[in-house]
C-alpha cells in the first residue's frame, strides 16, 4: 500500500488558500494571496527541498492546472517533477499536455491508487481534494508548515471533510522566521476521557 501524504502551508487560523501568489486562487473574493513570502527563510527552503524529493503527486484540478502552467519549464527548482506520475482528480478535464499525467475521476480511483505498489503519493494545495481524502480517512501523513499570521477568511485545511482522527508527531522544528514545521502520521482513533475519571 502506498502512503498518501498531505503537504500544506497553513496560517494560525487554518487558512491554506493561495500561499504562493496574489493571483494563485482568488475564489470567494480572497485577496491575501502570497502570504508565505515574508516568512520563507533559508531553513524553510531546506525543509522544502528535502520534502520535494521524487514522489508521485495527487492533485485537484485547479492545483494541477497551476502546476502544469509552471513546473514543466522550471524543473530545476523541483528536480524530477516532470518525470513522476501526476494524478489529477477531475470530472471535467479530458486531456493534458503535461507528460506523465493521469486523469482520475472517483474516490474508487484514489483507493485503487493507494492500494497499488509504488512510491509515496504527495498532495499539494488541492483544498477540495483534501476534504474528500480526510472524509474517507485516506490521509496517512500530514506535513504541515504553520505560518505566524492569521487571515480571517479563505479555504481551510480542516474543513467540512474532517473526521475525528488521531495523529502522532514524527518530526518538528521552528525556523528563525517563526514557521513551525510539523509532520504527523495517522495513529488510529481519538482517545477521550470521562470527566472525573
Amino acid at each position: 500500500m502506498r502512503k498518501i501524504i498531505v503537504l500544506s502551508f497553513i496560517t494560525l487560523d487554518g487558512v491554506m488558500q493561495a500561499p504562493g501568489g496574489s493571483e494563485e486562487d482568488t475564489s470567494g473574493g480572497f485577496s491575501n494571496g502570497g502570504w508565505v513570502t515574508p516568512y520563507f527563510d533559508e531553513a524553510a527552503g531546506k525543509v522544502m527541498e528535502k520534502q520535494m524529493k521524487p514522489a508521485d503527486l495527487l492533485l485537484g484540478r485547479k492545483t494541477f492546472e497551476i502546476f502544469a502552467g509552471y513546473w514543466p519549464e522550471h524543473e530545476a527548482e523541483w528536480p524530477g517533477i516532470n518525470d513522476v506520475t501526476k494524478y489529477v482528480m477531475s470530472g471535467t478535464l479530458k486531456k493534458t499536455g503535461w507528460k506523465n499525467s493521469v486523469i482520475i475521476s472517483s474516490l474508487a480511483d484514489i483507493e485503487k491508487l493507494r492500494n497499488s505498489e509504488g512510491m509515496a503519493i504527495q498532495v499539494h494545495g488541492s483544498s477540495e481534494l483534501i476534504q474528500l481524502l480526510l472524509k474517507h480517512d485516506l490521509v496517512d501523513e500530514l506535513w504541515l508548515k504553520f505560518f505566524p499570521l492569521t487571515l480571517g477568511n479563505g479555504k481551510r485545511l480542516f474543513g467540512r471533510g474532517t473526521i475525528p482522527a488521531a495523529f502522532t508527531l514524527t518530526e518538528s522544528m521552528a525556523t528563525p522566521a517563526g514557521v513551525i514545521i510539523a509532520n504527523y502520521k495517522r495513529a488510529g482513533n481519538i482517545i477521550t476521557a470521562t470527566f472525573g475519571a
Side-chain angles (χ1 to χ4, degrees):
M1 189 168 77
R2 305 168 74 176
K3 284 194 282 192
I4 295 181
I5 303 169
V6 169
L7 297 89
S8 188
F9 299 125
I10 184 171
T11 65
L12 295 178
D13 59 341
V15 175
M16 64 174 293
Q17 188 169 354
S22 61
E23 302 302 316
E24 186 176 340
D25 180 2
T26 59
S27 61
F30 189 72
S31 60
N32 291 311
W35 46 268
V36 302
T37 305
Y39 306 98
F40 207 86
D41 56 18
E42 183 179 347
K46 286 182 179 177
V47 170
M48 284 303 300
E49 184 178 327
K50 177 182 172 185
Q51 293 184 349
M52 291 167 75
K53 297 294 183 193
D56 286 344
L57 302 180
L58 173 60
L59 306 169
R61 181 189 56 79
K62 292 177 188 174
T63 300
F64 176 83
E65 288 176 344
I66 292 168
F67 277 32
Y70 182 81
W71 288 114
E73 305 302 321
H74 298 88
E75 187 175 10
E77 298 173 38
W78 191 345
I81 180 100
N82 292 319
D83 297 321
V84 300
T85 304
K86 282 81 60 181
Y87 298 93
V88 53
M89 179 76 162
S90 176
T92 59
L93 195 63
K94 301 303 178 195
K95 62 180 181 174
T96 173
W98 194 8
K99 74 175 186 175
N100 299 324
S101 295
V102 177
I103 300 168
I104 60 174
S105 60
S106 69
L107 181 63
D109 290 336
I110 296 173
E111 291 171 336
K112 183 178 177 182
L113 177 61
R114 185 177 183 232
N115 289 320
S116 66
E117 295 295 320
M119 63 178 86
I121 303 163
Q122 293 186 354
V123 181
H124 296 260
S126 308
S127 62
E128 291 180 26
L129 173 61
I130 290 172
Q131 301 313 306
L132 179 69
L133 296 173
L134 290 170
K135 181 178 180 180
H136 293 279
D137 202 12
L138 293 173
V139 175
D140 298 293
E141 296 186 20
L142 295 164
W143 293 359
L144 307 179
K145 290 113 190 124
F146 296 92
F147 285 73
L149 76 159
T150 58
L151 294 176
N153 64 359
K155 295 175 182 175
R156 301 254 182 327
L157 176 63
F158 299 107
R160 65 189 181 280
T162 307
I163 61 169
F167 290 83
T168 298
L169 182 69
T170 58
E171 188 176 346
S172 66
M173 68 170 284
T175 71
V179 178
I180 296 173
I181 297 166
N183 296 352
Y184 299 90
K185 69 177 180 180
R186 187 71 170 84
N189 296 324
I190 64 167
I191 299 171
T192 59
T194 303
F195 182 73

